């Protein structure tokens, strides 16, 4: 597939003079001007989007606040039916959404299709969960008639990053909407297209005006005003630890609950009795998935000394075979970095790591993909060295891993736990007792066995330490996060 044979719906959406904000059920131009959306495959502009400032954010929040009473007052089955209708429309328009996501992020079209399908499943999952939840729970208290009621907060704010813009949009707002909250989403200015098209679909299936509001803008220009708006009663942010700490401070000053899904520096501990083929395939796939722009992926590989050389030989052959190319082509396995800024950031990390003593053991150079020319392509890269190297300790967010050798289980676990991140790790071994022992000992929100990047609805996912705060996603606990508890009591 090339840009020349995009769907008519994709071309029409991109062909607008500017793609507006979606506030209160209406398409409206923002006050912060226009910004070009860049196709990372080519480095060329493909659309212009309207940008929001604090005034636009205020309109969006007030629209959501006005819609809250009627949306939360709907019978839960009615809300669930509307979310199912939206999920079906997403499925029907999945190829348009996938093309927009692929063009915007540089994500291979097959992966983009998977994100759209999994996002639609999230709408269905939380819609169904909401119909089975208990909203008034009697309490057995002596001499008191009492119950706990669970009610939505009001306006929920979401600040969504650029690496999985559609999937994280659905993961975020589906439980909030199902619980009866209304939402304002600040989408990254780098990758706004799929969320804005989603808003179009929401309006078309009858989601009431004001229930879903989408604004595009910078962090300081629209993200901060959203997090500190007095009518926002719950905030969810996905992004870097540094910005997450600022969001937490803003929410803390207002005593508003916040959910933070932040960065990671995931480890994979590979023992000498592992299924070597599965481990090589799994970890090569981990760093090439979304060009390594995945917060939970395995970017530190602890390889047992007995298999160290063989593992590197095999994984090098596998990474060499990865097909880099335009994200819209069906045979592309890894596309470009999302932006020139991210492209230069990743290459800069490589330079700093090597300057500090790391050894480049595979790849890592710029990749020239024709006919793209000016696209933001980087080859997969493996580095090796000591544990205090910047590329061992900091999140590079590119198609790379830092490889270290180990001989002792306890030593490996201690090295895994030596940094402040705590998102996701994996252990690779055929000894199930050891697998469970190591998985339990690694400090993180998620430990996976003989796999990395494991997601399913009903399987909790979240982080700790620098990787997160306030609950995770994709589980019943996530739904509970969007309901406040209120005790009702009458002495007898």
């Amino acid at each position: 597939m090339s840009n020349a044979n995009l769907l008519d719906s994709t071309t029409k959406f991109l062909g607008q003079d500017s793609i507006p904000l979606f506030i209160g059920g209406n398409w409206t131009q923002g006050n912060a001007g226009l910004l070009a959306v860049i196709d990372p495959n080519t480095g060329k502009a493909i659309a212009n989007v309207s940008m929001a400032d604090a005034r636009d954010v205020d309109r969006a929040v007030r629209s959501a606040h006005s819609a809250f009473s009627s949306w939360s007052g709907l019978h839960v089955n009615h809300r669930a039916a509307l979310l199912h209708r939206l999920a079906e429309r997403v499925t029907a328009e999945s190829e348009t959404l996938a093309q927009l996501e692929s063009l915007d992020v540089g994500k291979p079209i097959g992966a983009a299709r998977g994100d759209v399908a999994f996002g639609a499943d999230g709408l269905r999952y939380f819609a169904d969960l909401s119909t089975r939840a208990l909203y008034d729970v009697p309490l057995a208290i002596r001499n008191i008639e009492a119950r706990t009621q669970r009610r939505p907060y009001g306006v929920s704010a979401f600040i969504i990053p650029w690496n999985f813009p559609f999937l994280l949009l659905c993961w975020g707002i589906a439980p909030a909407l199902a619980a009866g909250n209304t939402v304002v989403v600040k989408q990254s200015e780098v990758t706004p297209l799929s969320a804005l098209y989603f808003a179009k679909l929401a309006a078309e299936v009858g989601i009431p005006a004001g229930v879903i509001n989408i604004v595009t803008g910078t962090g300081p220009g629209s993200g901060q005003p959203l997090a500190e708006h007095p009518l926002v009663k719950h905030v969810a942010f996905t992004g870097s630890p540094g910005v997450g700490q600022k969001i937490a401070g803003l929410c803390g000053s207002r005593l508003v609950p916040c959910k933070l899904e932040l960065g990671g520096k995931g480890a994979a501990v590979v023992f000498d009795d592992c299924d070597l083929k599965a481990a090589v395939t799994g970890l090569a796939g981990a760093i090439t998935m979304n060009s390594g722009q995945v917060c939970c992926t395995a970017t530190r590989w602890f390889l047992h000394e007995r298999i160290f050389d063989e593992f590197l030989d095999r994984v090098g052959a596998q990474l060499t075979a990865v097909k880099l190319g335009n994200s819209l082509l069906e045979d592309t396995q890894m596309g470009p970095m999302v932006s020139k800024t991210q492209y230069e950031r990743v290459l800069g990390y490589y330079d700093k790591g090597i300057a500090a003593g790391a050894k480049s053991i595979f790849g890592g150079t710029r990749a020239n993909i024709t006919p793209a020319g000016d696209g933001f392509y980087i080859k997969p890269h493996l580095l090796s060295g000591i544990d205090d190297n910047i590329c061992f300790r900091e999140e590079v967010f590119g198609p790379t891993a830092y490889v270290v050798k180990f001989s002792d289980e306890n030593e490996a676990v201690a090295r895994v736990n030596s940094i402040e991140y705590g998102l996701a790790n994996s252990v690779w071994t055929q000894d199930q007792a050891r697998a469970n022992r190591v998985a339990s000992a690694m400090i993180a929100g998620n430990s996976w066995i003989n796999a990395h990047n494991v997601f399913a609805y009903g399987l909790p996912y979240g982080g700790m330490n620098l990787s997160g705060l306030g609950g995770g996603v994709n589980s019943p606990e996530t739904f509970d996060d969007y309901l406040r508890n209120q005790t009702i009591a009458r002495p007898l």
Side-chain angles (χ1 to χ4, degrees), residues 94-449:
S94 60
E95 189 64 13
T96 301
L97 285 162
Q99 289 183 355
L100 291 172
E101 195 82 338
S102 182
L103 281 169
D104 215 1
V105 185
K107 189 186 300 284
I109 187 66
R113 291 182 185 122
D115 285 359
V116 173
F118 201 38
D121 286 344
L123 293 169
R124 297 183 182 100
Y125 172 78
F126 285 108
D128 291 343
L129 194 63
S130 71
T131 66
R132 302 190 299 268
L134 298 176
Y135 298 94
D136 286 273
V137 181
L139 301 174
I141 308 294
R142 184 179 179 183
N143 294 328
I144 301 174
E145 178 185 270
R147 71 184 191 277
T148 295
Q149 68 175 19
R150 302 164 72 217
R151 299 292 183 264
Y153 282 94
V155 179
S156 290
F158 293 86
I159 301 173
I160 307 292
W162 46 256
N163 58 336
F164 288 87
F166 185 80
L167 187 57
L168 295 182
L169 169 73
C170 293
W171 282 7
I173 70 172
L177 293 170
N181 300 277
T182 53
V183 303
V184 178
V185 178
K186 201 292 283 186
Q187 202 74 6
S188 169
E189 71 277 17
V190 179
T191 56
L193 298 177
S194 59
L196 290 165
Y197 197 83
F198 175 86
K200 170 181 175 292
L201 303 183
E204 290 172 354
V205 301
I207 301 295
V211 171
I212 298 174
N213 304 272
I214 309 284
V215 299
T216 294
T218 66
S222 54
Q224 181 172 337
L226 180 58
E228 61 189 10
H229 198 288
L231 293 178
V232 168
K233 301 302 180 184
H234 191 287
V235 177
F237 168 81
T238 305
S240 70
V243 178
Q245 289 168 329
K246 293 178 182 177
I247 296 292
L250 292 174
C251 293
S253 68
R254 298 198 297 116
L255 299 180
V256 170
C258 67
K259 178 193 290 288
L260 304 175
E261 300 291 337
L262 307 178
K265 191 68 179 175
V269 181
V270 185
F271 286 92
D272 56 333
D273 69 335
C274 71
D275 180 332
L276 195 57
K277 180 180 179 181
V280 166
T281 300
L283 294 181
I287 65 166
T288 55
M289 174 184 171
N290 206 34
S291 301
Q293 299 165 129
V294 183
C295 56
C296 59
T297 206
T299 58
R300 294 179 297 153
W301 295 354
F302 294 82
L303 307 180
H304 194 276
E305 60 184 5
R306 293 195 189 99
I307 60 167
F308 188 85
D309 292 334
E310 182 180 3
F311 189 99
L312 290 181
D313 287 343
R314 290 198 185 194
V315 82
Q318 187 144 334
L319 291 173
T320 299
V322 170
K323 179 69 166 63
L324 275 70
N326 188 295
S327 63
L328 288 172
L329 297 176
E330 296 289 347
D331 63 345
T332 291
Q333 295 172 300
M334 191 176 105
M337 308 305 295
V338 71
S339 66
K340 185 177 182 181
T341 298
Q342 184 63 13
Y343 169 83
E344 292 175 344
R345 177 182 183 273
V346 170
L347 291 173
Y349 259 107
Y350 295 167
D351 292 342
K352 286 184 283 188
I354 291 169
K359 179 183 178 182
S360 177
I361 56 178
F362 178 84
T365 59
R366 298 163 173 82
N368 294 318
I369 305 296
T370 56
D374 295 323
F376 311 131
Y377 296 92
I378 299 176
K379 294 178 181 179
H381 194 200
L382 299 180
L383 292 161
S384 185
I386 59 176
D387 293 7
D388 67 352
N389 191 276
I390 189 173
C391 291
F392 177 93
R393 308 197 69 83
E394 295 187 15
E395 186 175 38
V396 177
F397 225 57
T400 183
Y402 197 90
V403 183
V404 295
K405 185 185 295 186
F406 80 95
S407 59
D408 177 76
E409 175 185 317
N410 292 330
E411 167 215 348
V413 170
R415 293 168 76 184
V416 168
N417 293 338
S418 67
I419 63 174
E420 293 186 72
Y421 287 105
L423 189 52
N425 302 311
S426 60
V427 54
W428 302 75
T429 175
Q430 297 188 70
D431 182 335
Q432 287 305 300
R434 176 162 60 189
N436 283 287
R437 184 172 63 245
V438 173
S440 296
M442 293 188 293
I443 299 172
N446 310 274
S447 286
W448 297 314
I449 295 173

Side-chain angles (χ1 to χ4, degrees), residues 441-474:
M442 293 188 293
I443 299 172
N446 310 274
S447 286
W448 297 314
I449 295 173
N450 294 328
H452 206 96
N453 296 328
V454 180
F455 297 97
Y457 292 111
L459 182 67
Y461 169 83
M464 58 178 296
N465 297 336
L466 279 184
S467 293
L469 174 72
V473 295
N474 294 351

